[in-house]
Amino acid sequence: MRKQKLVVVGNGMAGVKTLEELLKHAPERYDITVFGAEPHGNYNRILLSPVLAGEMGLPDIMLNDLDWYRDKGITLHAGRKVVEIDRSRRLVRADDGSAAPYDRLLLATGSLPFMPPLRGADLPGVLAYRDIADTEAMIAAAREHRHAVVVGAGLLGLEAANGLALRGMDVTVVHIGAWIMDRQLDRPAAELLQASLEAKGLTFRLEAHTAALVVGERGRVAALCFKDGSEIPADLVVMAAGIRPNTGLAESARLHCARGIVVSDTLQTVTDPRIYAVGECVSHRGVAYGLVAPLFEQARVCANHLAGHGIGRYQGSVTSTKLKVTGVDVFSAGDFLGGEDCDEIVLHDRAGGIYKKLVLKDDRLAGAVMVGDTADGAWYFQLLREGKNVAGLRDHLMFGQGFAQSQLGDTGHQGQNQAALLPDTAEVCGCNGVCKGSIVKAIREQGLFTLDEVRKHTKASSSCGSCTGLVEQILASTLGGAYQAVDKHAKPVCGCTDHTHAQVRAAIREQHLTSIPDTLRALDWQTPNGCATCRPALNYYLISTWPHEVRDDPQSRFINERAHANIQKDGSYSVVPRMWGGLTTPAELRAIADAAEKYKVPTVKVTGGQRIDLLGVRKDDLPAIWADLNAAGMVSGHAYGKSLRTVKTCVGMEHCRFGTQMAMDMGVKLEKMLFGMWSPHKVKLAVSGCPRNCAEAGIKDVGVIGVDSGYEIYVAGNGGIKTEVAQFLCKVGGDEEVMEYTGAFLQIYREEGFYLERTCHYVERVGLEHVKRQVVVDAASRRALYERLLYALKDAPDPWAEQQAAPLARQYKTIELKAEPQGDRHGLAESLSA
Amino acid sequence: MAWQKVCPLEDIPLLGARVVAHEGGAIAVFRADGDHVFALRDACPHKGGPLSQGIVHGSGESARVTCPLHGWNVELATGSACAPDAGCTRRHAVRVEDGAVWLEVQEQSDPVRPGG
């Protein structure tokens, strides 16, 4: 197939991000030509402010140097401006007369600074603040001149003013509005910010209308004159009064524009489907974005369509703002002004320089403004984007994530939960030993923008994930406005697809999909057979949705579930026989001891789940050790699976003088009922015979606590990465009810939970009320759930017994090569009956 | 240096692997999509995890295995770790003939060459 030609007009962040994404999906599909008006590779425009402020140099902000284009086989025309699109002949012409034909055209022409029509606006010394050339001109002016005036007190204007002041100029910021950053801040926040900027030496003129720029002796601008007749000296005037989408080229090609090139959710222009547009030049659903994060979202969707996958839709972005002025923290997101139907929570410490306002609407966070302390900006933004119900958090919402989390245990990083407070040497990721400084360095040097990229490059947050919140905070504070918190539930399952877990689950149920290949086909998977992330998820969704119908696919399971034992760091395995309710017998113990000796098990350990772990078993020995344990009446403990693990019990009323219920008996019944249950993640239960709760039922997926009049059932606890206290579900009278309610809860989790989502995360996502409605309030729903669980678990086999039979047992055997292969007629290294 | 018969192809599960004992360290023989077979030293370049126990995915030259210990992806055709991870594990020549898998194994005296 002939390669298609893709021409990109605009060599900025949006256009090149689209190319990077496209090359990931379809590296061979296009011959790519890029036109850029600036004579550089692609650089990080957001970091021009630190360059102006002298905190970074130009080489630090390059994202793609010229070598990148060469390595990727992209033809780059840097410093050449496209002046015409000939849609009928499908080619573009540049200002040097050259032409490039296209099959697909991507417009990423960005925006132009708005230059107010003022007398004197064309004088030397009057600049916009948009690109490297502007920045260099400002740095040069700061060397020679003294008085700078910045027109416009928005984000860009304030950053320009700050940079010029740091370079030694006297800076006055002229603003037409009643307070600074009026598009992002309310008045109290703006006044606090203004005070701190004034303390840094900036001067402000608010509600000031510029009349003209006055020329000086050498033909350069010398002063700025207001409508009230007053005048201030100005050797440099920076126009930062806003930006306008750069649509001139598109308009001349008669593409529909309305304050931006109008595009659909697939980022195609509504006029010509061969022409795509992304970035600041675009108007999507009536909105033109000026921050980088939405542009990256557009780039991802656009690349997907250019690659021919055609699945993703861009549906608009919620944006947040951070001011990148060192020592001044400002954060704003969403509807920060509020209104009649909103509630506001405000903390205002004028002397301390801290102002925070949270706007709530219908129990959800609708907006946030913060000045002075923005450490929780990323957290608020996450809550806002996910539209999470915050009713339960409301009374401590204002005190931030740290306070909210200090109520719970979060292990692995010395109890820290605010990245801003950490020194560079602090270990953020306790699993992989990554400290804050390395993460910041990687973000800056490798140009990382997302959590996934940080995970890949630094390994931080890639193991247990308990430091994810911290890493997101570090991303947010390092990137400023370029950081876009992702709605984790709206994320695709993995890089093989754009579908979310919810969409995949729904499709499997609605289309009655019963195999992994069918599912991959039906959902247009982008890889031939998935990856190590999606295949186990799909396998679980299939077997849990269609029990007794779908065939389990061992090759789509993690090794532990394929080998029915837990792989250890040296490649050996651990074997844990089930001890129902933590009970055992002398005969079982004897058999375990015999097996441990026979197979030379180096370590025998009592587990936290009240059973015995035989560690260090060779894979070749697994079928044999299982056979010995089976012969003594023991079965798999599933200590390796996303499945029922243990039911921990106290001795209960059977022996304990305080016991009110038969905890051991109840625990055994539950464990027998749930034997062989696969679930989105591991499931642990406990039964205590009285509220002293010796079985620690308060941190289990289901915790049952006996009281004199019956049982209390608690759900969604967790004793692992993050200690989560189980929540009260209901009180029941007898054993049968414990089984029914527990079964119904676990079944709704099995049906609705996403793969690798523990019960605590599932319940957090759907809300305990939803669970209570289905499991407690609606008796018919509860019985149906319970029956579906019992049906799924009917005749659940002992995997250890199954695996000993041929041909399954074969996979455990190491193949020994024969010394003289010619001597064996079949040449086989092992007998076929193995 | 010698070619040795390992086992019938169907003894290796599709998208799976078998382990072959070898004095220079175990060798993982993979059966990837389309019955393409690959052989690598059964040790991840990261921390020596048994690659034979990983999940096999992708096809053709882009067939990969994900190490079961820490999730590194290793290219089956080259033994190289996928970016941004870096490292390489040794390759062995392997082919299928008349439904049987043949592996080229070095004698102990052969110098060890790096893979990739």
Side-chain angles (χ1 to χ4, degrees):
Chain A
M1 196 176 79
R2 179 183 79 94
K3 270 197 182 184
Q4 296 199 54
K5 291 188 190 316
L6 173 67
V7 171
V8 184
V9 183
N11 188 32
M13 295 174 77
V16 177
K17 187 72 181 176
T18 309
L19 290 182
E20 286 182 337
E21 295 286 327
L22 173 64
L23 292 171
K24 267 192 242 167
H25 288 302
E28 301 298 327
R29 191 179 174 97
Y30 292 103
D31 280 328
I32 301 172
T33 305
V34 179
F35 287 89
E38 287 185 72
H40 313 282
N42 175 38
Y43 60 92
N44 189 338
R45 201 179 292 279
I46 305 155
L47 296 179
L48 287 175
S49 291
V51 172
L52 178 63
E55 293 163 5
M56 295 176 98
L58 281 177
D60 300 332
I61 70 168
M62 293 310 296
L63 291 171
N64 306 81
D65 55 17
L66 299 178
D67 288 344
W68 180 83
Y69 296 86
R70 194 166 47 239
D71 292 347
K72 301 289 180 189
I74 296 170
T75 309
L76 172 66
H77 298 300
R80 267 203 252 166
K81 198 176 166 200
V82 171
V83 290
E84 187 199 343
I85 303 170
D86 184 337
R87 283 168 50 204
S88 56
R89 289 196 208 140
R90 297 215 301 266
L91 51 86
V92 300
R93 278 201 188 83
D95 51 3
D96 65 348
S98 63
Y102 66 82
D103 297 298
R104 294 274 186 279
L105 177 64
L106 173 63
L107 299 178
T109 48
S111 61
L112 295 172
F114 171 62
M115 300 299 268
L118 291 175
R119 187 156 48 81
D122 52 355
L123 288 174
V126 181
L127 296 173
Y129 181 25
R130 192 65 207 141
D131 54 28
I132 286 182
D134 295 334
T135 310
E136 285 174 333
M138 285 160 73
I139 293 171
R143 276 192 216 109
E144 293 172 24
H145 301 282
R146 179 162 167 215
H147 299 286
V149 175
V150 175
V151 178
L155 208 55
L156 210 57
L158 295 181
E159 288 177 3
N162 174 65
L164 293 170
L166 285 174
R167 289 192 179 267
M169 296 190 86
D170 286 341
V171 184
T172 303
V173 180
V174 173
H175 192 54
I176 206 162
W179 63 85
I180 63 174
M181 278 183 78
D182 44 4
R183 302 272 296 277
Q184 291 93 8
L185 300 180
D186 62 356
R187 187 163 199 150
E191 286 173 358
L192 207 55
L193 171 62
Q194 184 179 334
S196 66
L197 291 171
E198 281 167 348
K200 284 174 165 287
L202 299 184
T203 307
F204 288 88
R205 290 281 298 254
L206 300 179
E207 295 179 272
H209 297 262
T210 307
L213 303 175
V214 183
V215 64
E217 285 167 15
R218 275 183 257 156
R220 186 185 171 91
V221 66
L224 181 144
C225 178
F226 295 105
K227 283 192 178 153
D228 66 5
S230 59
E231 206 176 278
I232 51 173
D235 310 314
L236 172 69
V237 175
V238 178
M239 291 294 181
I243 54 171
R244 299 284 180 273
N246 180 7
T247 55
L249 179 68
E251 282 174 61
S252 72
R254 294 187 318 285
L255 296 171
H256 177 49
C257 296
R259 269 179 285 161
I261 305 167
V262 179
V263 294
S264 64
D265 285 2
T266 57
L267 283 314
Q268 280 161 305
T269 60
V270 292
T271 315
D272 185 340
R274 283 182 182 276
I275 304 182
Y276 294 71
V278 292
E280 291 182 328
C281 60
V282 153
S283 169
H284 173 263
R285 299 190 188 178
V287 183
Y289 294 94
L291 296 166
V292 76
L295 314 188
F296 282 5
E297 284 186 48
Q298 293 175 357
R300 268 189 285 276
V301 174
C302 183
N304 185 291
H305 287 273
L306 283 171
H309 298 316
I311 313 171
R313 283 175 66 203
Y314 176 69
Q315 310 197 32
S317 301
V318 185
T319 56
S320 71
T321 304
K322 274 193 90 173
L323 187 63
K324 292 180 297 302
V325 171
T326 310
V328 180
D329 293 320
V330 177
F331 173 87
S332 154
D335 172 14
F336 60 90
L337 286 173
E340 277 186 8
D341 50 351
C342 298
D343 292 338
E344 291 175 10
I345 306 176
V346 177
L347 184 152
H348 196 169
D349 176 358
R350 206 183 295 270
I354 291 174
Y355 174 81
K356 299 187 195 183
K357 178 165 94 174
L358 302 176
V359 178
L360 297 171
K361 190 174 179 183
D362 301 330
D363 284 335
R364 278 158 228 283
L365 194 61
V369 185
M370 304 152 81
V371 176
D373 171 12
T374 57
D376 284 302
W379 185 55
Y380 291 133
F381 191 47
Q382 188 91 23
L383 293 174
L384 200 149
R385 291 245 318 173
E386 290 178 4
K388 197 177 145 145
N389 188 314
V390 293
L393 292 173
R394 187 173 174 134
D395 51 353
H396 53 254
L397 195 59
M398 177 52 84
F399 305 115
Q401 188 175 22
F403 184 82
Q405 289 184 343
S406 69
Q407 312 299 302
L408 306 163
D410 201 358
T411 54
H413 17 81
Q414 303 152 48
Q416 290 292 346
N417 37 40
Q418 292 205 348
L421 305 178
L422 293 174
D424 276 357
T425 52
E427 186 176 60
V428 169
C429 174
C431 294
N432 298 305
V434 189
C435 50
K436 180 183 167 186
S438 327
I439 298 174
V440 172
K441 190 158 169 262
I443 293 170
R444 292 231 170 97
E445 291 181 359
Q446 319 275 335
L448 312 181
F449 286 97
T450 65
L451 179 63
D452 279 345
E453 289 169 349
V454 172
R455 282 181 175 157
K456 276 195 192 134
H457 280 85
T458 68
K459 305 295 169 203
S461 158
S462 66
S463 294
C464 83
S466 78
C467 60
T468 300
L470 277 176
V471 174
E472 284 177 325
Q473 288 178 34
I474 294 170
L475 259 169
S477 61
T478 310
L479 292 175
Y483 176 65
Q484 182 89 51
V486 277
D487 176 349
K488 57 181 182 287
H489 303 311
K491 261 176 58 173
V493 173
C494 66
C496 301
T497 179
D498 284 330
H499 293 295
T500 62
H501 284 272
Q503 289 166 334
V504 172
R505 285 219 86 155
I508 287 173
R509 184 166 296 119
E510 285 156 18
Q511 303 178 38
H512 202 118
L513 302 170
T514 54
S515 76
I516 289 178
D518 286 352
T519 310
L520 300 182
R521 249 191 314 276
L523 296 178
D524 291 320
W525 232 249
Q526 292 160 22
T527 49
N529 47 30
C531 69
T533 300
C534 59
R535 282 228 310 272
L538 293 177
N539 189 54
Y540 169 72
Y541 292 151
L542 288 164
I543 60 169
S544 60
T545 308
W546 308 113
H548 301 294
E549 182 179 347
V550 166
R551 272 177 59 149
D552 186 64
D553 176 18
Q555 300 312 324
S556 293
R557 284 185 180 266
F558 184 63
I559 181 59
N560 290 358
E561 295 182 358
R562 208 181 324 138
H564 298 277
N566 214 324
I567 195 165
Q568 305 299 316
K569 65 188 280 188
D570 63 353
S572 71
Y573 287 81
S574 88
V575 171
V576 182
R578 198 165 283 284
M579 289 181 176
W580 308 96
L583 291 159
T584 185
T585 62
E588 284 183 354
L589 291 172
R590 214 169 271 128
I592 290 171
D594 288 345
E597 284 182 349
K598 180 171 170 189
Y599 299 99
K600 301 190 172 56
V601 172
T603 306
V604 181
K605 186 182 183 310
V606 175
T607 73
Q610 298 187 334
R611 42 205 195 162
I612 292 173
D613 195 347
L614 304 170
L615 289 139
V617 181
R618 292 173 55 236
K619 192 177 184 191
D620 287 67
D621 287 337
L622 286 174
I625 194 171
W626 293 335
D628 288 5
L629 294 168
N630 279 164
M634 283 175 279
V635 294
S636 166
H638 293 84
Y640 46 80
K642 313 295 176 216
S643 59
L644 172 74
R645 296 288 179 89
T646 64
V647 181
K648 187 172 181 174
T649 64
C650 73
V651 297
M653 191 178 147
E654 288 99 321
H655 293 277
C656 176
R657 63 202 165 101
F658 300 118
T660 61
Q661 296 290 347
M662 307 268 274
M664 290 190 292
D665 182 58
M666 185 73 253
V668 172
K669 277 188 196 157
L670 281 170
E671 191 161 348
K672 296 224 153 151
M673 170 177 88
L674 297 171
F675 177 74
M677 180 186 81
W678 298 109
S679 34
H681 210 307
K682 58 187 175 183
V683 168
K684 299 176 177 183
L685 280 70
V687 184
S688 284
C690 82
R692 284 172 192 74
N693 194 9
C694 294
E696 297 162 346
I699 50 165
K700 296 288 184 256
D701 295 285
V702 179
V704 178
I705 295 177
V707 291
D708 197 58
S709 53
Y711 294 95
E712 291 176 353
I713 299 178
Y714 293 81
V715 296
N718 191 331
I721 289 166
K722 178 189 262 184
T723 315
E724 294 271 4
V725 177
Q727 304 178 66
F728 177 71
L729 181 74
C730 61
K731 163 104 188 282
V732 298
D735 291 12
E736 286 305 314
E737 282 177 282
V738 172
M739 316 260 285
E740 183 172 315
Y741 282 75
T742 299
F745 169 72
L746 289 175
Q747 180 63 14
I748 197 171
Y749 164 59
R750 294 179 73 236
E751 291 178 3
E752 296 181 352
F754 298 157
Y755 192 66
L756 298 187
E757 188 176 52
R758 289 292 297 265
T759 54
C760 60
H761 302 126
Y762 160 70
V763 170
E764 188 198 359
R765 174 167 61 82
V766 302
L768 186 62
E769 283 316 303
H770 164 79
V771 172
K772 278 187 172 168
R773 262 196 309 278
Q774 306 294 317
V775 173
V776 182
V777 180
D778 183 344
S781 153
R782 175 176 65 248
R783 273 193 295 277
L785 282 164
Y786 183 47
E787 277 162 21
R788 287 202 293 277
L789 177 77
L790 295 184
Y791 171 73
L793 297 178
K794 198 157 71 84
D795 306 321
D798 170 25
W800 287 358
E802 282 190 323
Q803 296 287 313
Q804 292 162 44
L808 289 175
R810 203 156 62 195
Q811 63 159 317
Y812 297 91
K813 276 200 76 104
T814 300
I815 299 173
E816 303 286 344
L817 294 177
K818 298 219 166 155
E820 289 173 79
Q822 296 85 351
D824 182 343
R825 194 168 63 86
H826 302 289
L828 299 187
E830 54 154 334
S831 106
L832 277 172
S833 62
Chain B
M1 191 84 85
W3 284 91
Q4 297 214 41
K5 227 180 218 180
V6 176
C7 66
L9 179 66
E10 67 261 26
D11 277 13
I12 307 176
L14 185 60
L15 303 187
R18 293 289 302 273
V19 184
V20 176
H22 184 246
E23 355 151 89
I27 298 167
V29 182
F30 298 90
R31 179 178 169 196
D33 194 34
D35 284 343
H36 284 100
V37 293
F38 300 95
L40 299 177
R41 188 168 124 77
D42 195 13
C44 179
H46 177 217
K47 295 199 169 173
L51 296 172
S52 56
Q53 312 296 296
I55 289 179
V56 177
H57 49 98
S59 72
E61 292 300 297
S62 70
R64 288 167 182 183
V65 63
T66 303
C67 178
L69 293 195
H70 306 99
W72 277 36
N73 285 302
V74 173
E75 289 180 3
L76 294 181
T78 63
S80 299
C82 299
D85 296 323
C88 195
T89 197
R90 181 180 178 164
R91 280 175 302 155
H92 292 267
V94 66
R95 62 185 157 88
V96 180
E97 214 174 272
D98 296 332
V101 179
W102 288 77
L103 177 68
E104 190 181 37
V105 286
Q106 280 81 25
E107 304 303 324
Q108 210 169 11
S109 56
D110 272 12
V112 176
R113 287 175 310 180

